[in-house]
């Protein structure tokens, strides 16, 4: 009886029946390296139209993970496909060797030893850590079969790279393109450094919410009477609501939406301004009875009217802003230009001081009356006490 396999005309091949990848992959990569496959591709495409992919560099702070692997594989796919389409397509790879991801890893490695180190010694430790993982990650990326300038990656800690940045910045200065100003940033009071949006993780958080009354500044009484005659001769104030009491000391303005309907209600003998649609909720939350409105008007009527800060001898300007909504609060938004992007932009538009009296460790500066030296979040109840 013949064997069934002898009755079938099968092709002959040198391919092994098993892939045996743990052995065959390193051999293939070694063969590519020995023949300088990337160099040969570059030679073959020399002089053709270029498609250059500069690598958005990963942090050199540990072994690669599924995210970094996927990122590199997709870029490699783009580069190789452009090369196969006839373009001269180099893949310029690099590493980000600065920032919190590396500092935090080094911080954990050093432990208590860090306390006895100078800033320069700590920076050297970070450099050594980054160098170590540049080598580790390069080997891992090459193991994925990714071709690129692995023999000469760009490193943000390379002194030549830093010199190039300094030269470019110098050219910007010469051309008058550089100015010094302020900008709102995410800030870590533990690490005392700015954070990128991607480095911020949001958790559920309960904040204290307070209503704060800002009385009309004496110098604005005539202006208010001219704009809203029904308020002439009355004590007038505006009610704001905030979930960040610690920013009240930095208040410089109160924002109103120009097109919303506002009303002044008689509350304990004062005409208190809130958005008309929110008045019932505000009255319930404040435990007060709001009767019929003393006056009604659009938010735009209040622009540049001055109210008085409830804690300090300074005015808070009435400003207009489209981001004011009726979702919560009173329709009048406490505005501190030194704390928050919307507040900052409004402050710039109205020429207000970008007042941020908080040090890098999260404490109020000593110049802040009542709260100087206190940690801002610890000051929340103290602000409420002072207002009361």
């Amino acid at each position: 009886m013949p064997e069934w396999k002898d009755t079938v005309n099968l092709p002959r091949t040198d391919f092994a029946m098993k892939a045996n990848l743990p052995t065959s992959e390193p051999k293939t990569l070694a063969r590519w390296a020995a023949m300088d496959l990337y160099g040969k591709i570059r030679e073959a495409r020399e002089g053709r139209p270029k498609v250059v992919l500069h690598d958005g560099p990963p942090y050199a702070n540990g072994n690669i993970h599924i995210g970094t692997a996927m990122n590199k594989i997709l870029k490699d796919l783009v580069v190789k496909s452009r090369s196969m389409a006839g373009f001269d397509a180099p893949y310029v790879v690099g590493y980000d060797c600065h920032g919190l991801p590396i500092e935090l890893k080094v911080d954990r490695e050093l432990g208590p030893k860090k306390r006895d180190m100078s800033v320069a010694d700590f920076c050297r430790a970070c450099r050594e850590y980054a160098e170590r993982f540049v080598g580790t990650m390069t080997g891992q990326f090459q193991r994925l079969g990714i071709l690129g300038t692995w023999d000469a990656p760009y490193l943000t800690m390379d002194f030549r790279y830093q010199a190039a940045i300094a030269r470019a910045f110098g050219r910007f200065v010469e051309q008058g393109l550089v100015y010094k100003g302020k900008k709102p940033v995410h800030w870590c009071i533990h690490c005392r450094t700015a954070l990128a949006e991607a480095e911020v993780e949001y958790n559920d958080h309960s904040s204290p919410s307070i209503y704060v009354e800002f009385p009309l500044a004496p110098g604005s009484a005539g202006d208010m009477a001219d704009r809203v005659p029904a308020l002439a001769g009355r004590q007038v104030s505006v009610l704001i609501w905030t979930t960040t009491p610690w920013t009240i000391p930095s208040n410089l303005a109160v924002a109103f939406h120009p097109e919303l309907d506002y009303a002044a209600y008689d509350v304990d003998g004062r005409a208190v301004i809130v958005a008309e649609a929110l008045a019932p909720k505000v009255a319930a939350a404040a435990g007060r009875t709001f009767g019929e409105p003393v006056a009604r008007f659009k938010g735009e009527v209040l622009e540049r009217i001055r109210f008085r800060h409830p804690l300090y001898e300074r005015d808070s300007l009435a400003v207009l802003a489209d981001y004011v909504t009726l979702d919560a609060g009173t329709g009048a938004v406490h505005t501190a230009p030194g704390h928050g992007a919307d507040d900052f932009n409004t402050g710039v538009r109205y020429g207000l001081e970008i007042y941020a009296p908080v040090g890098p460790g999260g404490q109020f500066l000593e110049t802040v009356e009542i709260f100087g030296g206190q940690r801002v979040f610890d000051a929340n109840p103290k602000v409420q006490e002072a207002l009361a």
Side-chain angles (χ1 to χ4, degrees):
M1 187 74 177
E3 291 286 339
W4 286 110
K5 65 178 182 179
D6 296 331
T7 68
V8 181
N9 186 19
L10 294 174
R12 303 296 177 185
T13 177
D14 293 330
F15 282 121
M17 290 295 291
K18 292 171 64 178
N20 199 18
L21 296 181
T23 301
S24 60
E25 274 188 356
K27 285 182 178 179
T28 299
L29 295 173
R31 188 173 78 255
W32 288 358
M35 66 187 291
D36 187 19
L37 178 60
Y38 180 70
K40 282 184 165 51
I41 293 173
R42 302 285 291 110
E43 288 176 12
R45 292 289 182 261
E46 188 174 359
R48 304 300 298 272
K50 279 188 178 293
V51 173
V52 183
L53 196 156
H54 280 275
D55 197 11
Y59 278 117
N61 70 325
N63 294 305
I64 67 172
H65 51 74
I66 190 65
T68 43
M70 184 175 180
N71 181 289
K72 275 289 187 295
I73 290 168
L74 291 175
K75 291 174 180 177
D76 185 58
L77 179 67
V78 170
V79 171
K80 284 177 178 169
S81 66
R82 294 298 86 199
S83 180
M84 293 171 71
F87 292 93
D88 181 4
Y91 187 9
V92 184
V93 296
Y95 292 94
D96 189 344
C97 307
H98 294 98
L100 275 183
I102 290 172
E103 290 179 27
L104 291 174
K105 288 292 183 73
V106 174
D107 201 26
R108 293 191 189 105
E109 280 195 356
L110 291 173
K113 289 192 296 184
K114 182 187 172 185
R115 298 194 192 104
D116 301 321
M117 295 174 67
S118 67
V119 173
D121 288 336
F122 182 72
C123 288
R124 276 189 283 271
C126 290
R127 175 176 284 272
E128 291 168 3
Y129 182 94
E131 286 174 346
R132 187 199 330 161
F133 278 100
V134 164
T136 299
M137 295 173 72
T138 293
Q140 292 170 340
F141 285 135
Q142 288 177 313
R143 191 64 206 278
L144 293 174
I146 294 166
L147 302 179
T149 58
W150 296 116
D151 292 336
Y154 72 86
L155 309 177
T156 61
M157 66 180 177
D158 187 290
F159 296 125
R160 292 171 301 172
Y161 182 95
Q162 294 173 359
I165 292 174
R167 279 193 295 270
F169 184 72
R171 287 195 293 271
F172 294 153
V173 172
E174 288 176 348
Q175 296 171 35
L177 301 175
V178 177
Y179 69 94
K180 184 177 181 180
K182 292 183 177 180
K183 177 185 177 183
V185 296
H186 295 289
W187 186 263
C188 176
I189 61 177
H190 172 71
C191 301
R192 299 191 177 208
T193 186
L195 299 172
E197 178 70 39
E199 293 171 323
V200 177
E201 293 183 7
Y202 293 90
N203 297 319
D204 289 337
H205 173 72
S206 295
S207 300
S209 68
I210 60 173
Y211 291 88
V212 185
E213 201 170 347
F214 284 64
L216 185 67
S220 285
D223 200 8
M224 179 67 88
D226 290 341
R227 300 187 193 189
V228 188
L231 296 179
R234 300 192 65 113
Q235 278 190 310
V236 180
S237 63
V238 63
L239 195 64
I240 66 94
W241 174 78
T242 181
T243 58
T244 54
W246 67 267
T247 62
I248 289 290
S250 304
N251 174 282
L252 294 180
V254 178
F256 301 86
H257 194 292
E259 297 175 8
L260 288 182
D261 294 313
Y262 291 85
Y265 295 87
D266 191 309
V267 182
D268 300 333
R270 299 185 305 283
V272 179
I273 298 170
V274 297
E276 190 169 8
L278 291 170
K281 290 182 180 178
V282 175
R288 295 288 196 278
T289 300
F290 285 14
E292 283 297 307
V294 176
R296 289 187 173 93
F297 42 86
K298 293 289 186 182
E300 62 185 0
V301 169
L302 299 174
E303 186 175 24
R304 296 194 179 276
I305 291 286
R306 291 187 173 274
F307 294 90
R308 200 67 174 160
H309 194 286
L311 294 178
Y312 303 124
E313 294 297 313
R314 67 168 186 259
D315 290 344
S316 292
L317 185 69
V319 297
L320 303 181
D322 290 339
Y323 54 78
V324 177
T325 69
L326 299 176
D327 295 339
T330 67
V333 176
H334 148 60
T335 300
H339 301 303
D342 285 337
D343 299 46
F344 171 83
N345 292 328
T346 298
V348 169
R349 194 164 68 251
Y350 280 89
L352 301 176
E353 178 187 357
I354 308 305
Y355 181 52
V358 179
Q363 283 86 19
F364 281 113
L365 302 182
E366 293 297 338
T367 54
V368 179
E369 295 178 50
I370 309 174
F371 313 107
Q374 296 182 32
R375 186 173 177 269
V376 291
F377 301 123
D378 296 338
N380 274 332
K382 305 290 180 60
V383 172
Q384 292 175 256
E385 290 171 16
L387 290 169

